[in-house]
């Protein structure tokens, strides 16, 4: 059996017209001799009736935070609806399809509601449906724990479902269908000149995804990489070849930089030694934050000051920890962490200089920088994000 996993995102399944295009992609797979296994997201985006965020808005935040099992049950409904609706449309097209929840498709997770980890994928149901010549249509983003309760895999989790099934079924390929032509040198919503990346390595795309490019979930990339299953990002609405992600990718390009992405809602924190010098907790701060599960990044430790960033959603908790341990700090809210990614940055002199030059020319103040062998990060005020990304995109001639 030549299995192909085809995952369709929220916009791809949002309307009858778009679902017609989805069916076209499934038919193409069939005509090429594949056995498709389809994974679907909830229909539409925030504000639309069956989107995950809309479902979540039906319950109170307090209830949601204290009843994660209930909120998982609610959130999982969006994908479950999509499976039946798509099966109905396949049926009208004389294609026999079987809708399945994540649990029915064999996705077994731990009990960590809202962000469950997958323990096992039991493929018996999927294999028997495929053997009957039918198309399994699986609800993405959800699994089931050993007690039989529905769990969810974290936002963007339908990509994870697709990659997991691809590996478990030893698929020829996992296709992620979305509303853009593939992975671009920058988010096309921000940079109109962004160009398509035809081939890229798992490693580089992981950096992209992990640093905020929403187009694919980083866990999905990791899972496909471990299982050595090619991932292809494609547009449901076009016939473009998309982006192929595999282990060879991106070796024969001349450009040092592959692309640019960003993460918003960062807060830059400064903790000054002079202001806290009589407090023994000053040297323990990073430990205390780790114990409290506050993740920090862009960490610069200087003799007289520690500087780092946290996510805006952790600020209230961070503030109460600082009060408890008696440390004072200052912060800049509404920052954006821009990541300039390229696996060939290593050892090439002058890349950081070029980055700074492009931003200074635009009068954008750089609040902090950091670099690794594949990425350069710049922290800027959120209001400059768009201009900064466009300036860098131009500077590195990525268009
Ligand atoms: P889906 O619902 O299909 O999963 P997502 O919204 O999760 O779609 O991901 C697709 C979106 O990712 C695109 O509409 C695009 O705005 C955004 N995006 C961010 N960075 C990139 C990038 N580098 N290349 C392509 N798309 C990107
Ligand atoms: Mg997505």
């Amino acid at each position: 059996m030549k299995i192909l996993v085809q995952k369709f995102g929220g916009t791809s399944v949002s309307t009858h017209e778009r679902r017609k295009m989805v069916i076209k992609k499934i038919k193409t797979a069939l005509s090429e001799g594949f056995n498709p296994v389809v994974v679907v997201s909830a229909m539409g985006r925030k504000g639309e009736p069956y989107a995950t965020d809309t479902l979540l808005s039906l319950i109170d935040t307090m209830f949601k935070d204290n009843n994660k099992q209930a909120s998982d049950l609610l959130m999982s409904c969006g994908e479950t609806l999509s499976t039946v609706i798509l099966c109905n449309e396949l049926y009208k097209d004389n294609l026999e399809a079987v809708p399945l929840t994540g649990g029915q498709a064999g996705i077994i997770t731990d009990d960590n509601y809202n962000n469950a980890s997958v323990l096992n994928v039991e493929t018996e149901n999927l294999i028997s449906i495929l053997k009957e010549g039918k198309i399994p249509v699986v609800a993405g983003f959800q699994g089931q724990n050993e007690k039989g309760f529905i769990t969810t895999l974290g936002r963007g989790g339908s990509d994870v479902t697709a990659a997991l099934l691809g590996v478990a079924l030893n698929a020829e390929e996992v296709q992620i269908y979305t509303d853009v032509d593939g992975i671009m040198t920058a988010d096309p919503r921000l940079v109109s000149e962004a160009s398509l990346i035809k081939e890229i390595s798992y490693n580089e795309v992981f950096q992209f995804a992990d640093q905020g490019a929403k187009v694919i979930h980083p866990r999905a990339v990791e899972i496909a990489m471990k299982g050595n299953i090619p991932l292809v990002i494609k547009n449901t609405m076009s016939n473009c070849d998309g982006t192929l992600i595999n282990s060879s990718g991106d070796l024969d390009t001349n450009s040092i930089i592959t692309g640019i992405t960003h993460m918003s809602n960062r807060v830059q924190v400064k903790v000054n030694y002079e202001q806290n010098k009589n407090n023994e907790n000053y040297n323990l701060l990073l430990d205390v934050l780790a114990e409290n599960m506050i993740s920090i990044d862009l960490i610069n430790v200087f003799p007289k000051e520690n500087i780092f960033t946290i996510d805006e959603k952790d600020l209230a908790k961070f503030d109460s920890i600082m009060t408890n341990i008696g440390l004072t700090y200052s912060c800049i809210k509404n920052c954006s962490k821009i990541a300039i990614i390229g696996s060939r940055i290593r050892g090439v002199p002058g890349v950081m200089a070029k980055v700074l030059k492009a931003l200074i020319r635009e009068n954008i103040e750089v609040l902090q920088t950091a670099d690794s062998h594949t990425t350069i990060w710049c922290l800027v005020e959120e209001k400059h994000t768009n201009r900064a990304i466009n300036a860098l995109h131009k500077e590195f001639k990525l268009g």
Side-chain angles (χ1 to χ4, degrees):
M1 218 176 329
K2 271 196 343 180
I3 295 173
L4 187 66
V5 175
Q6 297 184 297
K7 177 256 168 176
F8 296 94
T11 36
S12 302
V13 293
S14 62
T15 64
H16 177 67
E17 289 310 310
R18 293 200 174 127
R19 289 191 294 271
K20 274 190 182 160
M21 297 301 290
V22 167
I23 292 177
K24 235 178 168 174
K25 302 295 179 194
I26 297 172
K27 281 185 166 171
T28 305
L30 287 166
S31 72
E32 289 170 352
F34 289 107
N35 287 86
V37 171
V38 175
V39 176
V40 285
S41 297
M43 295 184 281
R45 290 230 166 93
K46 197 173 183 165
E48 294 181 65
Y50 308 109
T52 310
D53 284 309
T54 312
L55 298 176
L56 267 180
S57 73
L58 300 170
I59 55 173
D60 303 333
T61 312
M62 275 288 269
F63 174 76
K64 173 184 159 268
D65 290 346
N66 294 311
N67 295 273
K68 292 197 165 161
Q69 182 191 317
S71 69
D72 267 1
L73 185 56
L74 176 68
M75 277 196 282
S76 71
C77 293
E79 279 70 16
T80 307
L81 287 170
S82 295
T83 63
V84 181
I85 290 162
L86 185 62
C87 282
N88 179 182
E89 286 175 19
L90 286 162
Y91 176 82
K92 285 193 279 186
D93 244 328
N94 296 315
L95 291 168
E96 260 193 287
V98 181
L100 298 132
T101 63
Q104 290 164 343
I107 300 199
I108 308 301
T109 75
D110 62 13
D111 294 343
N112 189 16
Y113 294 103
N114 289 195
N115 198 16
S117 296
V118 174
L119 304 175
N120 194 16
V121 183
E122 296 167 356
T123 55
E124 294 79 12
N125 278 351
L126 290 173
I127 298 279
S128 76
I129 292 165
L130 289 167
K131 280 189 176 153
E132 288 169 25
K134 296 177 183 167
I135 304 165
V137 178
V138 181
F141 171 61
Q142 51 170 269
Q144 184 176 302
N145 61 21
E146 273 152 351
K147 293 175 219 139
F149 290 98
I150 289 183
T151 53
T152 65
L153 311 179
R155 299 312 286 272
S158 294
D159 296 339
V160 176
T161 305
L164 281 166
L165 295 183
V167 173
L169 295 165
N170 195 23
E172 306 290 312
E173 191 172 286
V174 173
Q175 300 181 332
I176 307 282
Y177 282 94
T178 182
D179 59 356
V180 286
D181 278 345
I183 306 209
M184 323 272 289
T185 49
D187 186 341
R189 284 178 213 230
L190 302 184
V191 180
S192 58
E193 280 137 41
S195 57
L196 179 70
I197 300 170
K198 291 202 169 118
E199 207 174 333
I200 187 168
S201 66
Y202 293 114
N203 274 325
E204 221 170 0
V205 95
F206 177 82
Q207 294 296 325
F208 245 81
D210 196 46
Q211 294 305 315
K214 199 179 147 213
V215 61
I216 173 113
H217 196 295
R219 277 289 294 140
V221 180
E222 265 179 341
I223 292 164
M225 176 162 79
K226 275 203 191 120
N228 201 22
I229 304 280
L231 269 176
V232 186
I233 318 287
K234 281 170 173 273
N235 193 340
T236 308
M237 305 306 286
S238 84
N239 286 321
C240 176
D241 286 341
T243 302
L244 171 64
I245 306 166
N246 59 22
S247 48
S248 51
D250 66 60
L251 294 174
D252 56 351
T253 154
N254 298 322
S255 166
I256 314 165
I257 304 301
T258 306
I260 302 163
T261 184
H262 79 284
M263 254 188 215
S264 1
N265 300 323
R266 305 303 302 173
V267 179
Q268 187 191 46
V269 176
K270 291 185 180 171
V271 189
N272 185 279
Y273 174 74
E274 287 301 324
Q275 288 164 5
N276 293 290
K277 69 176 160 196
N278 297 322
N279 189 329
E280 61 194 17
N281 288 323
Y282 180 80
N283 288 322
L284 300 174
L285 177 58
L286 300 194
D287 285 328
V288 175
L289 294 179
E291 279 159 23
N292 284 280
M293 303 297 284
I294 292 196
S295 107
I296 62 178
D297 68 1
L298 297 187
I299 306 160
N300 293 154
V301 176
F302 300 108
K304 295 284 172 200
E305 193 164 51
N306 288 340
I307 306 178
F308 51 84
T309 71
I310 60 173
D311 196 295
E312 181 107 37
K313 72 170 169 28
D314 291 331
L315 184 57
K317 189 172 167 191
F318 173 81
D319 186 69
S320 77
I321 292 168
M322 294 299 272
T323 308
N324 282 342
I325 61 178
L327 288 177
T328 61
Y329 70 97
S330 64
C331 73
I332 303 176
K333 292 185 203 167
N334 301 319
C335 293
S336 173
K337 186 179 69 163
I338 295 178
I340 299 121
I341 295 164
S343 56
R344 293 160 303 280
I345 289 178
R346 183 195 344 231
V348 178
V351 186
M352 181 65 95
K354 236 171 127 104
V355 167
L356 294 177
K357 198 175 67 185
L359 297 177
I360 289 165
R361 206 187 296 127
E362 285 285 320
N363 286 321
I364 295 170
E365 188 185 11
V366 178
L367 301 171
Q368 209 178 330
T369 65
D371 65 292
S372 75
H373 57 280
T374 58
T375 308
I376 288 177
W377 292 273
C378 290
L379 193 71
V380 301
E381 281 182 79
E382 187 125 26
K383 62 181 181 204
H384 299 317
T385 307
N386 208 330
R387 246 171 358 105
I389 294 179
N390 274 283
L392 292 165
H393 199 268
K394 206 169 244 145
E395 181 71 29
F396 288 99
K397 301 189 172 67
L398 297 175

